[in-house]
Amino acid sequence: MTIRTILVDDEPLAIQGLELRLQAHDDVEIIEKCMNGREAIRAIKTHKPDLVFLDIQMPGFDGFSVVQGLMEVEPPLFVFCTAYSDHALRAFEAQAVDYLMKPVDESRLGDTLDRVRQRLAEKRGANETEKLKEALAEHAPEAAADLTADGAGSGEHASNRFEKLINIKDRGQIFRVDVDTIELIEAAGDYMVIKTGDNSLVLRETMKDLEKRLDPRRFQRVHRSTIVNLDLVKQVKPHTNGECFLVLDSGAQVKVSRSYRDVVARFVH
């Protein structure tokens, strides 16, 4: 399935350069090119693209104004392209898939498109599931109830449904964290503390929402306020009262409460 794409930039040479680099990706179909923000809003509402490469600094409506102008419609995925790095924080706050510096590097563009494909696969999978639920609700209500109860057909355990990288805004910077390196996640009020082997970062997000982004085959809650990467557990140490400790690769020890002890079962059977 092609990725229907719109390019937006007030510099013709920038559009030509990006278009040339995108030719290496057979699944990217450029359906429109726009020279300013107003054109972009009209084109996006008309064509409903999957993806928009969006310049930030343009006369009149800048890139962020384009995003704001689409609040009443289902937005496409956005990749911001700019010659200035000082907009990166705001771009990720606008839920951009990525932020590319001009001239766009071909390897970096390839990584970005991989993330776009992952996001689109998740979105399309969710849409298909909703259609199936609606059809079942009309023609087979009992089957629809079963589908809702056990998540069958939702693809919730398919690895490509879950995030591979998480962007974390912390201390005025954007950190791109590979989820494979996340060892431990702890709740701290309205924030999550993301711990890798050599770093701790603070993410403003609820534990419930963060869990949805991580593969449950690997990331499991072992306490009311703690999620552990099971792939990085090297030892299980029994403790009193049915509790135990997980020893992680870094040497950190995490207590598993009794209510979550079924998580540990996979290590001892």
Side-chain angles (χ1 to χ4, degrees):
M1 187 174 294
T2 60
I3 304 172
R4 301 173 65 254
T5 303
I6 290 178
L7 310 183
V8 184
D9 202 305
D10 63 324
E11 299 178 6
L13 288 178
I15 286 184
Q16 292 175 17
L18 183 56
E19 188 175 16
L20 182 64
R21 287 167 173 78
L22 288 171
Q23 288 177 359
H25 302 272
D26 295 336
D27 58 343
V28 176
E29 177 190 3
I30 299 173
I31 60 174
E32 185 69 88
K33 291 173 279 188
C34 303
M35 299 293 293
N36 59 62
R38 292 186 184 276
E39 286 183 12
I41 291 175
R42 287 195 297 268
I44 292 168
K45 288 183 176 180
T46 300
H47 298 292
K48 297 179 175 58
D50 301 308
L51 173 65
V52 176
F53 284 91
L54 183 60
D55 185 23
I56 291 180
Q57 292 195 323
M58 297 181 290
F61 275 34
D62 65 8
F64 298 115
S65 297
V66 171
V67 175
Q68 292 174 354
L70 297 166
M71 296 298 288
E72 76 278 11
V73 300
E74 183 177 358
L77 299 179
F78 287 103
V79 173
F80 284 106
C81 300
T82 182
Y84 305 95
S85 61
D86 53 351
H87 295 295
L89 287 175
R90 193 176 172 194
F92 284 117
E93 288 173 348
Q95 302 301 310
V97 174
D98 215 337
Y99 181 95
L100 300 178
M101 297 294 296
K102 299 178 184 177
V104 175
D105 177 76
E106 293 182 9
S107 175
R108 185 80 168 78
L109 178 61
D111 292 341
T112 296
L113 288 172
D114 284 342
R115 297 190 69 199
V116 167
R117 294 181 185 103
Q118 177 184 336
R119 294 276 190 94
L120 289 175
E122 294 172 7
K123 183 177 180 181
R124 288 164 179 163
N127 289 341
E128 290 302 314
T129 298
E130 287 305 311
K131 290 178 183 178
L132 175 59
K133 288 180 178 179
E134 290 173 4
L136 286 174
E138 180 178 356
H139 301 290
E142 293 182 1
D146 290 342
L147 179 62
T148 301
D150 63 19
S154 68
E156 63 189 7
H157 294 307
S159 61
N160 65 357
R161 179 182 183 274
F162 302 102
E163 295 282 0
K164 304 273 191 309
L165 290 169
I166 294 180
N167 296 314
I168 301 177
K169 176 185 174 183
D170 188 6
R171 300 187 294 274
Q173 301 180 60
I174 291 289
F175 296 87
R176 294 166 59 81
V177 179
D178 186 336
V179 298
D180 289 343
T181 68
I182 296 175
E183 188 174 66
L184 175 67
I185 301 170
E186 295 179 321
D190 294 332
Y191 295 85
M192 294 292 108
V193 180
I194 313 295
K195 296 184 178 182
T196 63
D198 56 3
N199 203 2
S200 292
L201 300 169
V202 177
L203 174 67
R204 188 181 182 106
E205 186 167 354
T206 67
M207 180 165 282
K208 181 179 179 180
D209 288 340
L210 186 57
E211 279 184 302
K212 294 177 182 177
R213 300 170 62 188
L214 300 172
D215 190 340
R217 295 173 300 177
R218 301 174 56 207
F219 291 90
Q220 282 286 333
R221 196 183 296 206
V222 297
H223 188 276
R224 183 172 56 85
S225 59
T226 307
I227 296 173
V228 165
N229 183 347
L230 300 180
D231 287 347
L232 299 183
V233 174
K234 67 178 183 180
Q235 185 182 357
V236 178
K237 295 173 61 176
H239 192 55
T240 58
N241 302 323
E243 297 177 337
C244 68
F245 284 91
L246 302 181
V247 182
L248 308 181
D249 280 354
S250 66
Q253 296 190 30
V254 182
K255 180 185 285 188
V256 180
S257 63
R258 284 180 294 174
S259 56
Y260 291 95
R261 61 191 176 194
D262 59 309
V263 174
V264 183
R266 69 188 65 197
F267 295 103
V268 296
H269 292 295

